[in-house]
Amino acid sequence: MNRHHWWRDAVIYQVYVRSFLDSTGDGIGDLAGVRAGLPYLKKLGVDGIWLSPFYPSPQHDHGYDVADYRDVDPVFGDLAEFDLLMAAARRLGIKVLLDIVPNHCSSEHPWFREALAAEPGSPARARFHFADGRGPDGSEPPNNWHAMFGGPAWTRVDDGQWYLHMFTPEQPDWNWRDPEIPDEFDRVLRFWLDRGVDGFRIDVAAGLYKHPELPDSDDPEADARTRDSVNPLAWNQPEVHEVWRRWRSTCEEYRARDGRERLLVGEVSVPTAREHALYVRPDELHQAFFFDLLGAPWDADAFRKVISEAMQDIAGTGSTVTWVLNNHDQVRTVTRYGEPATEGSGLGAARARAAALLMLALPGAAYIYQGEELGLPEVVDLPDDVLTDPIFHRTGSRARIRDGCRVPLPWSGQASPFGFTSGAEGAKPWLPQPEYFAEYATDRALADTRSFWHLYRDGLQLRASLPQLGEGTLEWLDAPPGVLAFTRGDGLVCAVNFGTANAPAPVSGTPLLSSGPCPPGVLPGATAAWWLNEI
């Protein structure tokens, strides 16, 4: 691996801080808990971590409503604890990425409070999208846009004007056409870069700019029909690329000082791989998450199509593809790939194991969401009264809620809180853990060589040691229907059987690593394997 360009084939572990490990006993994970868990992540073999937002916030969207971009919410610790975390990560050789939220802030941000107190047309309101309403008395929203989390995208204030929020009313959108906003985010980046961070995961990276005239959408309901739908008038505007050029220049400035590359990886939701590729041109973001693999159905042809498109369009820019199968917004693979999979057994688990080996064999970088390495299923039976997701509270529907993949991790023991919190007996995690989480506790996973954890650890070790894996290219091999097979470099073969029946293996020998029992010459259903072989 070329360590100068460490990010090109890095494996990054996403830490959802409030659900990772609680050091204070309040039932909410924190930065000290992350620091305590670093040796575990080092043992797993990841190259770095991405921390979900820990900034001061009223937590209407669990930190993605930021009230202060240059501090730590007391729930999670303080700047001194952050510095200790950075020092510990540096000693272990673990990179640290922060989650930055430039599309919107909290309604409690001082600048938004100032805007509410200011008059229409004031410089304070120009930092956001304030507009007069329509109709004789201005009682109708300025346009027909819908928010991503349900309901209209506009809220009226006391003086009659409306402000734009593409997520919730507690998350007003910044107006990036106002020069104060890019200047302010320059200062934010430098604050954290000066504290030693290795880069940023950028929330809603295709957002930021809105159409300057704020016109009506042709199909506003379609724009907000699913979590991954986007309003083309509020997303993917051409001016956004200037932001990423500016941020890339800042990162290059820091790299020139000490030789350390700082990474920008974007959450880019756009319709095609070709549009995705525009964000990772050499002077923009280093990488952007390729969500098409996460969204693909469990089908060989579908997986081959999205992998081929990514390799052609994204890798063709000089960047590398950033693969992901899980994150804090999506149903976990164990549940997504299997029915029923409430308790993570059976077909869903087998497919999730196979998908993990496939992802780790693909050229480029990979991101692992916490608990993925334990084989955690989605918690689908949380009662309504504990749900915290603003999607549920704005729509009344459980269809797209994200609490089920955010339940705190089980670390040890036979009953909740499973070692997650160190508080007094009876301390409760912020979301309830089901009894069956005992089967997935970290101590049990480490002791069982057949566990998800060992599959991930072994895959990461081989990925780090074999020159065929990591950055590079792949070549598809002929394979039976329902099977994907490809080579990496000199003689590394990966194959995945998407069916349920046995298929002939593309290589006759014993696999180097497989997601399940895999006798020589046979590739069982819902199984992936790696071989070293001369083709």
Side-chain angles (χ1 to χ4, degrees), residues 139-167:
S139 62
E140 298 296 323
N143 65 28
N144 64 355
W145 294 1
H146 281 231
M148 298 286 286
F149 288 174
W154 295 89
T155 290
R156 201 176 193 188
V157 300
D158 290 344
D159 61 26
Q161 279 205 312
W162 299 72
Y163 69 88
L164 179 69
H165 49 83
M166 294 305 299
F167 290 88

Side-chain angles (χ1 to χ4, degrees), residues 205-275:
L208 281 61
Y209 279 88
K210 279 64 180 174
H211 190 290
E213 297 175 4
L214 300 176
D216 276 344
S217 170
D218 291 338
D219 190 357
E221 292 185 4
D223 294 337
R225 189 167 292 143
T226 71
R227 174 65 179 85
D228 299 318
S229 295
V230 295
N231 179 344
L233 300 170
W235 250 252
N236 204 22
Q237 295 289 301
E239 298 93 334
V240 75
H241 295 282
E242 290 301 322
V243 178
W244 309 136
R245 293 186 183 100
R246 183 167 174 167
W247 286 25
R248 180 66 175 262
S249 178
T250 299
C251 289
E252 293 303 320
E253 174 190 328
Y254 277 78
R255 183 190 63 81
R257 295 180 189 176
D258 57 17
R260 285 176 44 220
E261 283 203 309
R262 275 69 166 187
L263 169 65
L264 298 174
V265 56
E267 180 194 34
V268 174
S269 297
V270 290
T272 67
R274 185 165 298 178
E275 289 173 278

Side-chain angles (χ1 to χ4, degrees), residues 260-324:
R260 285 176 44 220
E261 283 203 309
R262 275 69 166 187
L263 169 65
L264 298 174
V265 56
E267 180 194 34
V268 174
S269 297
V270 290
T272 67
R274 185 165 298 178
E275 289 173 278
H276 181 113
L278 297 177
Y279 286 81
V280 293
R281 288 176 288 191
D283 61 343
E284 295 194 35
L285 302 178
H286 298 80
Q287 292 177 322
F289 296 113
F290 186 65
F291 293 123
D292 291 33
L293 191 68
L294 182 155
W298 183 256
D299 176 83
D301 292 339
F303 268 63
R304 177 164 177 161
K305 180 176 184 292
V306 299
I307 292 168
S308 295
E309 288 177 352
M311 294 302 299
Q312 174 181 316
D313 294 328
I314 298 169
T317 66
S319 180
T320 53
V321 184
T322 305
W323 308 102
V324 57

Side-chain angles (χ1 to χ4, degrees), residues 374-398:
L374 301 175
L376 283 182
E378 187 84 354
V379 181
V380 298
D381 54 357
L382 292 168
D384 287 358
D385 62 354
V386 304
L387 296 178
T388 64
D389 194 328
I391 295 176
F392 173 73
H393 293 290
R394 285 182 62 78
T395 67
S397 170
R398 299 175 64 101

Side-chain angles (χ1 to χ4, degrees), residues 305-386:
K305 180 176 184 292
V306 299
I307 292 168
S308 295
E309 288 177 352
M311 294 302 299
Q312 174 181 316
D313 294 328
I314 298 169
T317 66
S319 180
T320 53
V321 184
T322 305
W323 308 102
V324 57
L325 291 170
N326 295 269
N327 64 34
H328 65 293
D329 288 331
Q330 303 293 336
V331 174
R332 290 185 178 275
T333 49
V334 169
T335 301
R336 205 165 71 234
Y337 291 152
E339 290 291 343
T342 303
E343 298 185 9
S345 60
L347 191 58
R351 288 172 170 173
R353 291 170 63 92
L357 276 197
L358 168 64
M359 179 179 71
L360 293 177
L362 292 173
Y367 279 65
I368 298 169
Y369 176 50
Q370 68 179 39
E372 179 180 338
E373 82 284 5
L374 301 175
L376 283 182
E378 187 84 354
V379 181
V380 298
D381 54 357
L382 292 168
D384 287 358
D385 62 354
V386 304

Side-chain angles (χ1 to χ4, degrees), residues 161-197:
Q161 279 205 312
W162 299 72
Y163 69 88
L164 179 69
H165 49 83
M166 294 305 299
F167 290 88
T168 72
E170 294 82 16
Q171 295 168 288
D173 281 42
W174 293 111
N175 176 15
W176 275 80
R177 299 184 189 280
D178 185 284
E180 281 200 77
I181 305 310
D183 288 348
E184 170 65 3
F185 275 92
D186 283 350
R187 294 187 286 268
V188 170
L189 291 186
R190 292 178 184 278
F191 177 86
W192 294 109
L193 289 170
D194 289 343
R195 297 190 95 91
V197 304

